């Protein structure tokens, strides 16, 4: 039975929940493996989405391995979700069956705190937004992400995927895209800005594309000599091998803004010295250990060390529309879900160009539920 048929039956009056094929981490040390979850029975404001593609974010690895602490197992990762709307609840006004839809890192928030009212739901402080997976919804139910065949989400947290965008290449925009777009916009990166991007992975390559599209002078920092030519193709004006002290020294005191997308513990001190007066180094990378910050690098140039988390729903839609207008999607390597553990291993070796995206049909064909 298809999910759509199952859902219509639910709409017809039966309040059963829906069994859904997925892949999960059962613990922090076990591989990602087949697992079955139950999606909630759709509410009037819910959109039911048959998932087509799900990007693989480094946050999936951090959480599946419990590197940040507090992980909830079994965990179905995945927060870069694109799929087709199967059906909508009676109160839904923004979506209809057949629409291409996206879901990013959050599926709900309190909607009444100052941050929610400002459209910055990612900073909901009541106590925080409901994350797409490894979270709990307002009923206390564990949330499950996009390594699955379908998802049920309140329409206020669902995005429209413009027709012009390739749906597989658009999936990573729901996290890697908005997480880099939002700080570049917030700190007004554009023509006349010297922008540095630390790390050329999923987030880094999107930062390069946006920095280039906004008209900044973009310098890519990488530890991978093999990525230099790609970085230039992706929009870098210059590429610096960050382990080469002489190359780093050439840029001392010159950057307006540096975006740090590095996933592992690293030394920020060498980068703070590259900021000019009033420069900002913004963390989006989320290593599992605290950084050591030499304060003289900050006070010697009135510099700021900042952080930024994903982006609000309205800004995510703005970013998707910007991408459609400017022909921007992620550079992806499509994988069947059965290769997810290899993909994690390759990401940990910095071997991804530049985002793995799971073809969820590979899960449908393995599951008797289809
Ligand atoms: P990714 O695709 O694995 O890329 C990370 C890149 O960091 C690597 O390609 C590598 O670039 C560089 N790197 C890795 N280890 C390094 C080390 N030891 N020293 C120096 N550079 C190193 O990861 P991603 O999906 O882009 O995610 C990056 C980080 O952002 C993760 O920590 C993730 O959890 C976080 N994140 C945060 C948010 C947020 O809201 N703030 C949202 C999404 C993700 P080179 O090969 O170029 O050196
Ligand atoms: Zn992510
Ligand atoms: Zn809130």
């Amino acid at each position: 039975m298809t999910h759509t048929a199952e859902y219509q039956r639910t709409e017809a009056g039966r309040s059963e929940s829906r069994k859904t094929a997925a892949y999960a981490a059962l613990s922090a040390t076990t591989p990602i493996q087949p697992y079955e979850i139950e999606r909630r029975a759709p509410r009037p404001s819910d959109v039911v989405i048959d998932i087509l593609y799900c990007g693989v974010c480094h946050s999936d690895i951090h959480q599946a391995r419990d590197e940040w602490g507090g992980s909830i197992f079994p965990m179905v990762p995945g927060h870069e979700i694109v799929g087709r709307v199967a059906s909508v609840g009676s109160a839904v006004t923004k979506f209809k069956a057949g629409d291409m839809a996206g879901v990013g890192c959050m599926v709900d928030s309190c909607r009444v705190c100052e941050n929610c009212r400002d459209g910055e739901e990612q900073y909901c402080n009541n106590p925080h937004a409901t994350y797409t997976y490894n979270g709990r919804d307002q009923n206390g139910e564990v949330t499950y992400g996009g390594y699955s065949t379908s998802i049920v989400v309140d329409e206020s947290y669902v995005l429209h995927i413009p027709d012009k965008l390739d749906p597989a290449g658009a999936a990573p925009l729901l996290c890697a895209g908005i997480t880099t777009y939002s700080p570049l916009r917030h700190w007004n990166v554009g023509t006349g800005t010297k922008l540095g991007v630390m790390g050329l992975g999923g987030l880094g390559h999107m930062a390069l594309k946006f920095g280039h599209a906004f008209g900044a002078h973009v310098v890519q920092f990488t530890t991978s000599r093999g990525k230099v030519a790609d970085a230039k193709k992706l929009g870098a004006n210059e590429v610096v091998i960050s382990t080469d002290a002489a190359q780093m020294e050439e840029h001392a005191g010159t950057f307006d803004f540096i975006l740090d997308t590095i996933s592992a513990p690293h030394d920020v001190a060498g980068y703070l010295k590259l900021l000019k007066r009033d420069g900002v180094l913004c963390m989006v990378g989320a290593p599992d250990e605290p950084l050591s910050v030499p304060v003289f690098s900050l006070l010697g140039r009135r510099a700021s060390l900042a952080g930024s988390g994903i982006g609000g729903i309205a800004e995510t839609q703005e970013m998707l529309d910007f991408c459609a207008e400017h022909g921007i999607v992620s550079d992806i390597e499509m994988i069947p879900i059965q290769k997810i553990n290899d993909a994690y291993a390759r990401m940990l070796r910095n071997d991804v160009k530049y985002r793995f995206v799971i073809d969820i049909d590979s899960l449908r064909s393995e599951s008797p539920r289809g």
Side-chain angles (χ1 to χ4, degrees):
M1 186 189 299
T2 67
H3 291 301
T4 313
E6 207 170 345
Y7 170 66
Q8 281 164 349
R9 213 177 41 163
T10 307
E11 274 279 88
R14 296 174 55 170
S15 58
E16 75 214 47
S17 53
R18 307 170 343 132
K19 300 234 181 283
T20 303
Y23 263 56
L26 302 185
S27 79
T29 51
T30 46
I32 309 291
Q33 58 194 268
Y35 186 69
E36 190 176 75
I37 55 171
E38 289 197 11
R39 293 295 184 191
R40 70 169 178 243
R43 302 166 187 159
S45 59
D46 276 345
V47 176
V48 180
I49 301 167
D50 284 339
I51 301 177
L52 297 172
Y53 302 105
C54 184
V56 182
C57 180
H58 207 112
S59 301
D60 298 353
I61 304 180
H62 289 308
Q63 292 176 90
R65 297 187 167 191
D66 200 13
E67 292 172 355
W68 294 337
S71 284
I72 306 167
F73 295 103
M75 180 193 302
V76 176
H79 58 207
E80 294 184 337
I81 299 167
V82 166
R84 216 171 265 291
V85 175
S87 52
V88 297
S90 54
V92 169
T93 58
K94 297 189 205 115
F95 293 88
K96 59 180 189 319
D99 286 354
M100 197 62 83
V103 178
C105 299
M106 56 186 167
V107 289
D108 206 353
S109 66
C110 85
R111 308 174 195 218
V112 295
C113 75
E114 185 184 6
N115 293 337
C116 283
R117 280 188 278 117
D118 286 349
E120 304 272 19
E121 304 90 344
Q122 75 279 26
Y123 302 124
C124 176
N125 55 22
N126 213 4
H128 54 71
T130 302
Y131 302 113
T132 303
Y133 69 87
N134 193 25
R136 287 189 189 275
D137 67 19
Q138 286 173 11
N139 295 336
E141 302 285 330
V142 172
T143 55
Y144 295 117
Y147 298 5
S148 61
T149 51
S150 78
I151 191 165
V152 181
V153 181
D154 186 292
E155 69 165 334
S156 300
Y157 297 80
V158 180
L159 288 309
H160 289 281
I161 304 297
D163 289 342
K164 278 190 192 161
L165 293 179
D166 166 53
L173 301 177
L174 277 310
C175 176
I178 184 60
T179 301
T180 50
Y181 181 93
S182 183
L184 297 189
R185 284 297 197 212
H186 181 76
W187 275 280
N188 296 315
V189 169
T191 309
T193 307
K194 185 171 175 184
L195 164 69
V197 177
M198 294 164 57
L200 185 48
L203 267 59
H205 95 292
M206 290 311 309
L208 263 188
K209 290 188 184 210
F210 287 132
H212 178 70
F214 297 165
H217 180 90
V218 192
V219 181
Q220 177 70 48
F221 297 97
T222 180
T223 60
S224 304
R225 287 178 190 275
K227 293 180 183 173
V228 173
D230 276 355
K232 290 196 172 145
K233 266 188 261 160
L234 289 162
N237 300 90
E238 299 175 65
V239 184
V240 170
I241 303 298
S242 54
T243 48
D244 181 330
Q247 284 192 38
M248 293 288 279
E249 184 55 33
E250 276 174 36
H251 292 270
T254 62
F255 282 91
D256 299 288
F257 188 78
I258 299 178
L259 192 69
D260 184 341
T261 79
I262 296 175
S263 50
H266 59 282
D267 184 17
V268 284
Y271 296 93
L272 290 173
K273 285 191 285 196
L274 307 188
L275 293 173
K276 66 184 200 193
R277 193 194 74 228
D278 295 328
V280 175
L281 188 151
C282 177
M283 301 295 311
V284 286
D288 58 353
E289 284 172 23
L291 301 173
S292 167
V293 178
V295 292
F296 283 98
S297 293
L298 297 175
L299 56 87
R301 44 181 63 80
R302 197 166 52 194
S304 303
L305 178 60
S308 185
I310 48 173
I313 295 294
E315 191 174 39
T316 305
Q317 190 64 57
E318 173 193 308
M319 178 272 313
L320 288 164
D321 296 343
F322 179 90
C323 286
E325 199 180 314
H326 293 265
I328 294 174
V329 284
S330 172
D331 285 20
I332 65 165
E333 179 176 337
M334 191 97 82
I335 55 162
I337 198 152
Q338 294 79 9
K339 292 269 183 215
I340 186 65
N341 294 297
D342 296 341
Y344 279 17
R346 283 183 53 195
M347 283 169 75
L348 290 167
R349 296 197 299 269
N350 301 338
D351 175 23
V352 51
K353 292 190 171 178
Y354 280 90
R355 197 57 139 188
F356 291 114
V357 170
I358 304 166
D359 178 357
I360 296 294
D361 275 345
S362 62
L363 175 54
R364 283 195 182 85
S365 49
E366 123 176 344
S367 153
R369 291 191 168 271

